[in-house]
Amino acid sequence: MSPGLSHADHRHSPPTIDVPRNYNAAWDLIARNIETERAGKTAYIDDRGSYTFADLDERSAHVAAWLRATGIRPEQRILVCMLDSFELPSLFLGAIRAGVIPVLVNTLLVAEDYRYMLRDSRAQIAVVSEPLMGNFQGCVEEIAPLQRILSSTPGGEYEQCIDEVHPDPSVEPTIADDACFWLYSSGSTGAPKGTVHLHSSLIATAELYAKPVLGIEEGDTVFSAAKLFFAYGLGNALTFPLSVGATTVLMAERPTPQAVFRRLVEHQPTIFYGVPTLYAALLADPNLPAQNDVALRRCTSAGEALPKDLGERWSAHFGVDILDGIGSTEMLHIFLSNAPEDLEYGTTGKPVPGYTARLVGDDGQDVAPGEIGELHVAGPTSAAMYWNNRAKSRQTFLGDWTRTGDKYLRNESGYYVYCGRSDDMLKVGGIYVSPTEVESALIGHEAVLEAAVVGKADEENLIKPAAFVVLTGDNTPGEELMVALQAHVKHQLAPYKYPRWIEFVSELPKTATGKIQRFKLR
């Protein structure tokens, strides 16, 4: 079922993608390695050990057999909330191999987020890393049709279930346009949206971006600080290396500077994928390795705009440029990017060959050169829809075009320059944060009357939440109350969403109809 795919190496010659109608994405990514001399080569290195491509094939066949034995049918969903380890790509590919749809979710959320996603996706089973199980207590009793939640830990319940079945090497006869997997995306209301991707999309990201722009090869070892549950991380650490037979380093823990440095030095990855917030933290750390201590030949950044200064400082230290780009959950991976021989720091680069971009004004027409417009993109990796959300699907997926919600201008050299969000959404560490969600958490504190949240640049020119708060009459502003409000938000929401700054004000700017004018606060 492997497709006959070809790709061109030149930046401006888009690859030809020919995915056959009868196609299973998981089997393609596995077969192109086990049906070659690479079967015995190391595919993954995680915190427990290393695993070959043959191991990945066998383990995914165990997963497929187990899912079939449970009675889960093709096109039904399983929810996956797992820290990065070999078990995650094995489960992801094994489910797709069986025609079951894995729904990858962010491991940094809170219990109510997961309850929403379980109800919305109608997942039959959830597989959850043991440290995250506390967020799923009571879900089986409360949520239908959820049947079971399995804890994934070495020697735990999930691994026992997989080990008890004989591997099933058969592959579900899916087609290229079948739903393959979901990722959840947040909208301006903060409500997550189930983004449905097709079997053909995974390999298309490798053929359009990973090979001709990133230049990934069989001899590379890759390490992504962005986790597999991100669209960005999924391509980085699964699709791209499997497409060419490269080796991938996985890390379960948070990407602190010390954790990242240890992998860069110990495993000598040649390709590193990060986000601007992390690059800033790495450069600021006194233990930053020397250029000769690492083997980097390519670095990428996505999730939010990379400040020019960060790129230049990284390049000066390591002798390797950072290829800044933009992708989205809806488009699966990067569609605008700088390239090794075509780079301008302070920009997001140019359209990846195979994608088309346009900048649209409020009137729906293309803006004039040098003017700011909303970025629309067309390409073969666009999601099919948002699950059970027709209104949002129609607003976002406009025929061939997908609205990104990002404002850009195109400079005289043809590079795209990021100018902010079309709505009030923020990106913090590459993850969308809804101001209304943070505001609601703040208002839940007894001392707060009103709140408004906007984005503010920190000392590294990276965007973080900043709050303007109107207090109730009996409360006095000050450092102690600010710390208490920050702790309150951290308790209510995922910790990265808390406001880094809080300014106490007597009133908020509003329209005549009472809507907060966030642009004035910005």
Side-chain angles (χ1 to χ4, degrees), residues 1 23-32 34-35 53-68 72-76 78 86 89-102 166-175 178-181 199 202:
M1 300 179 72
Y23 179 79
N24 183 285
W27 181 240
D28 176 23
L29 291 173
I30 292 170
R32 61 178 59 211
I34 65 166
E35 294 180 352
F53 289 105
D55 293 332
L56 181 64
D57 174 39
E58 182 178 9
R59 194 65 170 169
S60 68
H62 272 278
V63 171
W66 166 66
L67 288 171
R68 289 172 174 135
I72 296 181
R73 300 186 302 275
E75 299 185 19
Q76 292 184 320
I78 62 170
F86 176 66
S90 301
L91 173 57
F92 182 79
L93 295 170
I96 295 171
R97 190 169 180 161
V100 175
I101 298 175
H166 293 289
D168 183 350
S170 65
V171 178
E172 186 67 23
T174 53
I175 64 173
D178 274 333
C180 182
F181 64 97
H199 276 261
L202 282 170

Side-chain angles (χ1 to χ4, degrees), residues 67-147:
L67 288 171
R68 289 172 174 135
T70 65
I72 296 181
R73 300 186 302 275
E75 299 185 19
Q76 292 184 320
R77 273 81 62 196
I78 62 170
L79 186 132
V80 181
C81 185
M82 296 174 68
L83 304 174
D84 281 13
S85 74
F86 176 66
E87 292 297 344
L88 181 43
S90 301
L91 173 57
F92 182 79
L93 295 170
I96 295 171
R97 190 169 180 161
V100 175
I101 298 175
V103 180
L104 296 183
V105 299
N106 189 331
T107 60
L108 303 174
L109 302 178
V110 295
E112 192 51 43
D113 294 321
Y114 297 125
R115 279 173 163 74
Y116 174 86
M117 293 173 180
L118 285 167
R119 292 188 183 97
D120 183 62
S121 67
R122 302 171 190 162
Q124 305 284 313
I125 285 177
V127 181
V128 181
S129 291
E130 177 59 34
L132 308 174
M133 283 291 286
N135 289 314
F136 290 81
Q137 291 180 357
C139 287
V140 173
E141 295 77 15
E142 298 172 14
I143 300 171
L146 183 65
Q147 303 170 18

Side-chain angles (χ1 to χ4, degrees), residues 370-405:
E371 291 186 2
I372 296 174
E374 183 182 63
L375 178 66
H376 292 197
V377 61
T381 60
S382 175
M385 62 177 175
Y386 295 132
W387 174 257
N388 276 356
N389 198 331
R390 186 167 181 259
K392 278 291 184 182
S393 294
R394 293 182 68 180
Q395 290 174 14
T396 301
F397 305 110
L398 310 174
D400 291 338
W401 298 98
T402 298
R403 295 179 60 185
T404 68

Side-chain angles (χ1 to χ4, degrees), residues 251-284:
M251 178 179 73
E253 65 185 295
R254 289 177 53 249
T256 63
Q258 294 311 308
V260 171
F261 294 157
R262 187 161 62 252
R263 272 73 180 185
L264 292 179
V265 173
E266 179 179 346
H267 297 297
Q268 295 287 293
T270 52
I271 297 177
F272 174 64
Y273 313 89
V275 297
T277 301
L278 178 60
Y279 281 114
L282 297 178
L283 286 168

